[in-house]
Amino acid sequence: MKMKKIAVLVAIAAASGSAFATNGYFSHGYGMKAKGMAGAATATASDAMGGANNPASMVFAGDRLDVGIDWFSPKRGASRSGGGASFDEASSSNNFLVPEFGYNMMLGEKMSLGITVYGNGGMNTDYASGTSVAANQCGLGAPASNPLCGAGKLGVNLEQLIVAPTFAYKINASNAIGVSPLFVYQRFSENGLQAFAGLSSDATKLFNQGHDSSTGWGIRLGWQGKVTDSVTLGAAYSPEINMSKFSRYAGLLAEQGDFDIPANWNLGVAFKATPAVTIALDYQHIQYSKVKSVANSAVASFPAATVAGSPFQLGNSEGLGFGWSNVDVVKLGVEYKYNDKLTLRAGFNKGSNPVKSGEQTFNILAPGVVTDHYTLGMTYGVTKDSELTVAYMHAKENSVSGATNPYFGVGGTETIKMYQNSLGIAYGMKF
């Protein structure tokens, strides 16, 4: 594969790469084979997606190219009842295409060099301006036309793309280490938060500012080791990535528009139960609580946020956020090699819910509340050196309810909910 062709494929992936909430706002898995096994990939080495899962795995993956695309459909909704401003709205824009790309080449027997391009995660909602809320007063003395008492459409869009060049080195025949420098690009936009102007440190940079972009550099480190003929272990870690600020939304996101990528780490084990059956188990921890724009409470900050100059105002150091807590995920996957051409997969991914009851008002924008993911997948060998992989995921509907934020003064109970489906296909080639 010529480097010019590789550069073109990376550019195509980069131009369209994004994903949307599953484990918090991280994807449930990276790479179509991993997605078929509920994301369990820390201790496996079956494709060139190691820059997203475990950099050390790339030296065991061999020379290969993987290109895929995932159709992702999250169904989100929010409602309020029992107060003076009731509504029941579903978010539109329910279909997204998420590309993935991986390339790996061996540098002798002990080293490999590759690149992985993937959508890390994101958030997206799009509530139309509708008659069901047009008459709401929201306790603010002015008509409103969206679920958060503003004018026009309400919604948020966050996309995160990561480009991960990867170097891996075999310490010995059974153990390897790897490193992936991470270049991160993200885009953000928000509409319809006029009602929050009184809580913002800069209402001119609060809403309807179009898309803004942000970049940053990080790193992912990994180890993978075969401890017996049937057991392989793996571990990977990425510290928090400091991103440049979304200056257009300095009056919305904490620390004047800051939105860093949280630290995350994962441990995995793969057990070859029989020559045809492999069972993989991963544990992942995502440290949302250290990113203020994500973790700061929108409830604990009230009524201090109504005071001009308060650090709790939107955009300031302790400004209102989504109130997310850390997420812990267990990923269990099973792979069955039916014959030389066909491999079947299934998995279950269980994550904790980052959104607590009472924090649901602001999370109408980002209802990342699903916890249970069920997956199926398969790989079919088209030729000796090429294959097609398909993966399906269903995230069961989950919801969070709680009292409406007191800022609106209308009482009642709000509920946010979400369920998801995805279906993807990838082409893999060995060379």
Side-chain angles (χ1 to χ4, degrees):
M1 175 63 65
K2 294 180 180 180
M3 294 305 295
K4 183 177 179 180
K5 293 181 179 180
I6 296 169
V8 171
L9 290 170
V10 171
I12 291 172
S16 54
S18 61
F20 301 90
T22 49
N23 294 133
Y25 69 76
F26 279 34
S27 176
H28 76 286
Y30 302 99
M32 219 57 68
K33 291 182 179 180
K35 288 180 177 180
M37 295 180 69
T42 309
T44 63
S46 56
D47 57 26
M49 298 301 293
N53 296 310
N54 183 352
S57 69
M58 296 284 261
V59 78
F60 296 115
D63 297 310
R64 62 178 297 126
L65 168 73
D66 294 280
V67 181
I69 192 162
D70 208 15
W71 165 75
F72 184 71
S73 180
K75 299 295 180 72
R76 300 85 78 213
S79 62
R80 184 185 296 135
S81 61
S86 62
F87 67 86
D88 189 348
E89 294 287 328
S91 173
S92 58
S93 301
N94 296 320
N95 298 288
F96 305 92
L97 293 178
V98 184
E100 63 182 38
F101 170 82
Y103 174 78
N104 191 55
M105 62 180 178
M106 298 299 296
L107 304 175
E109 296 182 357
K110 289 190 173 183
M111 296 183 290
S112 68
L113 184 65
I115 186 169
T116 305
V117 183
Y118 60 100
N120 181 59
M123 299 181 285
N124 178 280
T125 46
D126 185 8
Y127 299 96
S129 172
T131 56
S132 62
V133 292
N136 292 352
Q137 297 301 308
C138 290
L140 302 176
S145 61
N146 69 47
L148 285 180
C149 301
K153 290 185 177 182
L154 172 72
V156 65
N157 186 57
L158 172 70
E159 303 171 0
Q160 293 179 338
L161 174 80
I162 295 182
V163 179
T166 302
F167 174 78
Y169 175 75
K170 280 185 182 179
I171 301 171
N172 53 43
S174 301
N175 292 272
I177 54 176
V179 58
S180 296
L182 307 176
F183 171 73
V184 186
Y185 171 83
Q186 56 182 8
R187 292 202 314 164
F188 179 83
S189 66
E190 190 284 321
N191 297 306
L193 281 185
Q194 293 90 342
F196 285 78
L199 300 179
S200 176
S201 60
D202 186 352
T204 67
K205 296 181 178 180
L206 173 63
F207 59 90
N208 294 30
Q209 297 298 301
H211 275 98
D212 199 0
S213 62
S214 169
T215 58
W217 288 91
I219 194 170
R220 184 176 301 280
L221 305 171
W223 163 79
Q224 192 172 99
K226 192 171 185 179
V227 295
T228 71
D229 288 341
S230 58
V231 178
T232 301
L233 302 179
Y237 171 67
S238 179
E240 183 173 324
I241 300 175
N242 183 31
M243 301 294 294
S244 61
K245 296 182 179 182
F246 291 118
S247 58
R248 293 185 184 181
Y249 292 94
L252 171 62
L253 301 171
E255 299 180 295
Q256 289 73 53
D258 200 35
F259 203 98
D260 294 338
I261 311 298
N264 58 95
W265 52 270
N266 40 291
L267 303 172
V269 56
F271 172 62
K272 202 165 186 63
T274 72
V277 177
T278 300
I279 301 171
L281 178 66
D282 275 18
Y283 168 76
Q284 182 182 37
H285 178 78
I286 308 172
Q287 207 162 17
Y288 292 116
S289 66
K290 298 298 183 180
V291 180
K292 289 188 175 183
S293 54
V294 177
N296 285 356
S297 172
V299 177
S301 301
F302 181 86
T306 62
V307 180
S310 165
F312 295 100
Q313 286 205 301
L314 284 163
N316 284 342
S317 60
E318 304 303 323
L320 282 69
F322 296 97
W324 281 24
S325 54
N326 294 335
V327 165
D328 295 292
V329 190
V330 176
K331 306 176 182 184
L332 176 64
V334 179
E335 180 179 87
Y336 171 52
K337 188 174 182 179
Y338 180 76
N339 57 35
D340 289 341
K341 283 187 172 292
L342 181 63
T343 300
L344 305 175
R345 301 181 184 89
F348 176 66
N349 173 308
K350 176 75 172 181
S352 53
N353 188 345
V355 182
K356 299 180 287 292
S357 176
E359 297 285 357
Q360 75 290 326
T361 299
F362 214 43
N363 279 286
I364 289 173
L365 288 171
V369 297
V370 295
T371 58
D372 296 348
H373 309 73
Y374 303 88
T375 67
L376 294 172
M378 59 170 283
T379 295
Y380 181 77
V382 180
T383 68
K384 178 183 177 182
D385 296 319
S386 65
E387 61 191 23
L388 289 176
T389 298
V390 177
Y392 170 75
M393 182 275 292
H394 173 73
K396 180 182 176 183
E397 181 171 279
N398 194 34
S399 63
V400 171
S401 298
T404 303
N405 191 294
Y407 175 63
F408 294 122
V410 295
T413 299
E414 290 171 331
T415 299
I416 56 175
K417 60 184 179 180
M418 179 188 284
Y419 72 91
Q420 304 167 350
N421 288 288
S422 71
L423 179 64
I425 186 168
Y427 171 78
M429 180 179 69
K430 304 172 186 177
F431 54 91

